[in-house]
Amino acid sequence: MKKLHLLLLILFVQQFTAGRQEILSQVREHYALNSQLITFNSNTGLLLGQSAIISTAVGDSSCAAYSYSLKSLTCFEGVFYQAVGTNLNQSAVSNCYLRKSTDGITWSPLVRIDDAPVDKSSYAGNVYVWRKNGAINIIVAYYDNRTANPQLRASLSTNGGTSFLPSIQVSSHNDNFTLFNGGICGKGDTIMVNWVRQYAGDRCDQTWFSRTTNGGLNWSGMAEAFAGNHYSFLTDMTMDNFGNTWSVTADDQFARVNPVIRFTSNLGVSWETRTQIVNMASPNINTNVQLRAVGTKLYAVWTHSNSSIFDSVNFSVSTNGGNSWSTKKISDEDTLNYSNFSGSTLFVVHPALTIGQGGVIYAVWPDSRERHFGSNIDSCKMNIYLTRSTDGGATWSPNMKLSGVSNYPRTSNWYVNIASKTGAGTDSVVVTWAMLRNIAIINGISQIGTEIPKGYILEQNYPNPFNPVTNIRFSIPKAGVVKLAVYDITGREVESLISGKLNAGIYNADLDASSLSSGVYFYRLIVRQAGSSTDGYTDTKKMILVK
């Protein structure tokens, strides 16, 4: 028996020693921001093409890496703008960033929006874009917890998102309860935002708003747009070309929830209740409303629940300013999203819509119809579905699945956004969503998506300059032995990020330079095909550590 124990000990030591030269791995939760471009005929709605899903790492679940935001994606003059929450640059907290794309496939590097201190979070950004004096202006309104009392703040860019001015506090709450960011809308320099504030343990029934009439240079004092009943924490707003504004709040009316429409023609000086989109008795819950004003019509998408199952996504239209509504169910399946796993369900199943210039309406939402029998997130794998209407919402196409359950044991797709642009008879529809999954982290190296790249690429690290964490992305089209290392200005290796075999794919490497001094460093990627004695690919880039 002693000999057996000794043999096992020797084998363990041998394996441990050998393993130190290999790639050590662990499994952890990981958020990725997925995007996909789908093209349709702008008049008939005929499907023309569908790109591969582009997946970008944005963080892990140790913090709110990609937090709920109703209108984080928009399109203006042919460019898509999106506010992204990520903790990749600060592992303990999230920050708000902007990215841009002309096609929804290739995205610009992230630009920091917020100016929160290093130990504070900002996320859930809503985006509004307009042109002023020939320049692209961008306002992003977001949640911020830099003070003892969390607030809504707004940041302005006057150069198309290259940089942002110091943020301005929009709300002025005097307690430390959370707030739920709602919508953003505007006409030129006139912009309005709304949100719901939790002001007691289970009280969340006031919808607040603020406005700016000078493009975000300053904001009005916050005021109440709607006083609901018990727990009305989902809201949105929209504005037409004349400055008329509608706000919608999912109002908890004691054992039932119905969306209430409020209207103002004077930028919130006074509000009036128009109607409810639907008025259902207990135990019906009608919530998750997104609202859009297009011409003389109001469009809305929302979810219905019978208190235990989110069983449908619905579309409503009003042609008289919200005084009355017609409604159509647009989801194919009766059982949509099982809701018995935390209050965040209300956020993650939120639908969204966009309207092409030819009048085609596109709606998307997360949907667990393929596996809806579970009682928690592990067995409730959600995918993204799309439908479209070419007749103003009277009829809708069969639901089209955009994402699919992967081979990972736990994968969910949610927090969906959609935007579109029209040109040459084509609607280019971009859909983005967050994907939560369990992935293997290999010495800080994580594979991004399942796409096989066409060639070798070593990208510039981001951010750069950095302190102390930065990310290095690289692509390898074939499996091989990979070495990624960091060198100081004398050529001495100071950090080895990976040295071992990797399959073909796109990877992200996390570099924590806490132990290094400020200065110029170089990182080099060397890829050698298995069985070869020569390097197949080598590239080196410079980065700057500033402490």
Side-chain angles (χ1 to χ4, degrees), residues 478-491:
K478 299 178 181 179
V481 179
V482 177
K483 179 178 177 60
L484 179 61
V486 178
Y487 303 85
D488 64 17
I489 199 167
T490 68

Side-chain angles (χ1 to χ4, degrees), residues 68 70-71 182-183 234-237 247-251 257-261 277-278 286-292 299-303 314 316 325 346 349-353:
Y68 165 76
L70 184 62
K71 290 181 176 176
L234 289 168
T235 186
D236 189 21
M237 67 190 325
S247 174
V248 60
T249 301
D251 184 30
V257 175
N258 288 303
V260 176
I261 298 293
I277 294 179
V278 289
N286 303 294
T287 185
N288 296 318
V289 187
Q290 187 173 87
L291 193 63
R292 302 275 187 178
Y299 295 135
V301 286
W302 47 278
T303 59
N314 302 275
S316 297
W325 296 79
L346 291 174
V349 302
H350 209 301
L353 79 161

